[in-house]
Amino acid sequence: MADDHHGPTVRIYLAVFASLMFLTALTVWVAYQELGMFNDVVALGIACTKATIVILFFMHVKYASRLTWLLAGAGILFLLILFAFAMADYVSRGWLGMPASHYLQ
Amino acid sequence: MADHALHHDDHPHGLAHQFEDMPQQKESAVIGMWSFLITEILFFGGFFATYLIYRSYYPEAFFEGSSHLDIPLGAFNTIVLIVSSLTMAMAVHKSHEGNKRGILVYLTLTGILGLTFLVVKYFEYSAKIEYGLVPGLAWHPHGENSPQLALFYSLYFGMTGMHALHMIIGIGLLIWVFVKAAQGTYTAEYNAPVEIFGLYWHFVDIVWIFLFPLLYLLGLQAGGH
């Protein structure tokens, strides 16, 4: 049957699946390498890449309306706000000699 | 009764009255599901933010805690979920064709893979209980960093437990979609329930995509820090 619903084809699904498997193998392999702080950066980079692939193709966002894009984007934007504001607080707590900062030592 | 007859003449199967046509109805369903997924993203986001904060405070305890997790089992479950996402995507694909048998076959595969994931998780949890690595229930570490280690394991059980609960709910929803599909409810025009269930399933897969490296793979660097 012709692909008349503007969704991905089976071939695209298989390519997506192969990429996800490759990235899973890559993230395990990288974890065994000594990269210092870059272990985290690479692991999160690979996880974000995998998530993006799943969202775009398996969840059809690449083929969806702009309103769907807006909602998916809003979810990620507010997640980043959550991380940024929480970390801005916790990371900076020891910077000034505030009365409560000894709790963190 | 005249209204009833009119309903069947004018409305395609599955189209609710408030919608203009099937594409508009499906678009609304997808947008509704994404609205729900935003709340889910932020729900798990709270866990991830907590993880981020305590990991930055106590990196050594987190490396040590992580080194007790079973990487082969975690990697196996990652693969199981990725395959289940493929079979779920195929079920949605078959629903677009109105292919009832195709939907049933791929939903069955997805369900089996989901159960496989939970069985592996059961064995992992059993091992943690056996080794006394469950904060509050069976906690054996007595070292200096025992409280920080307990924090890692609290997050491990909180995050993987909440993820597993989502898998269990997902399998419940899968059975419901399966029964509806078996009754011939879904056609090439009306298949939004399969589609939005797929969105849920893929979302749960994405959560695991982040949990696996953050919880399991971290401990490999324990020696390097």
Side-chain angles (χ1 to χ4, degrees), chain B:
Chain B
M1 289 301 111
D3 281 342
H4 196 242
L6 196 68
H7 171 89
H8 283 284
D9 289 345
D10 288 359
H11 282 71
H13 162 69
L15 180 64
H17 286 270
Q18 67 269 32
F19 296 110
E20 292 280 331
D21 51 25
M22 295 305 277
Q24 192 202 27
Q25 174 172 283
K26 190 166 186 175
E27 168 89 352
S28 304
V30 167
I31 285 167
M33 193 62 193
W34 269 103
S35 310
F36 169 67
L37 289 182
I38 290 176
T39 72
E40 287 278 79
I41 289 168
L42 290 170
F43 170 72
F44 279 100
F47 274 115
F48 283 105
T50 311
Y51 172 93
L52 209 59
I53 289 161
Y54 284 116
R55 163 128 186 240
S56 68
Y57 277 10
Y58 311 117
E60 288 82 11
F62 272 53
F63 289 132
E64 193 191 328
S66 172
S67 68
H68 298 308
L69 295 183
D70 195 321
I71 293 174
L73 285 185
F76 175 78
N77 259 352
T78 308
I79 292 166
V80 166
L81 277 195
I82 291 173
V83 179
S84 85
S85 260
L86 175 68
T87 57
M88 188 64 237
M90 287 305 299
V92 172
H93 192 74
K94 293 294 174 190
S95 80
H96 289 165
E97 297 172 353
N99 180 340
K100 176 175 149 182
R101 193 173 170 276
I103 301 172
L104 295 178
V105 166
Y106 281 111
L107 279 183
T108 305
L109 289 172
T110 308
I112 291 170
L113 290 160
L115 286 173
T116 306
F117 177 92
L118 288 172
V119 168
V120 171
K121 208 75 219 138
Y122 167 79
F123 284 114
E124 280 191 81
Y125 279 3
S126 304
K128 295 291 163 292
I129 294 166
E130 196 180 323
Y131 296 135
L133 290 171
V134 189
L137 287 176
W139 186 249
H140 293 166
H142 294 296
E144 201 182 321
N145 67 349
S146 170
Q148 290 88 342
L149 211 53
L151 206 48
F152 173 83
Y153 276 100
S154 299
L155 280 168
Y156 167 77
F157 282 107
M159 294 169 101
T160 60
M162 208 41 84
H163 177 266
L165 180 64
H166 277 77
M167 293 289 299
I168 292 166
I169 292 169
I171 288 168
L173 292 170
L174 186 146
I175 291 167
W176 175 65
V177 174
F178 183 93
V179 169
K180 285 287 192 184
Q183 291 168 350
T185 310
Y186 305 125
T187 63
E189 290 74 36
Y190 177 66
N191 46 47
V194 188
E195 176 116 9
I196 63 172
F197 170 65
L199 290 179
Y200 175 87
W201 193 267
H202 296 309
F203 168 78
V204 177
D205 181 25
I206 289 173
V207 173
W208 185 260
I209 283 174
F210 284 96
L211 288 182
F212 174 58
L214 288 179
L215 294 174
Y216 288 76
L217 297 178
L218 186 65
L220 288 169
Q221 297 302 314
H225 287 264

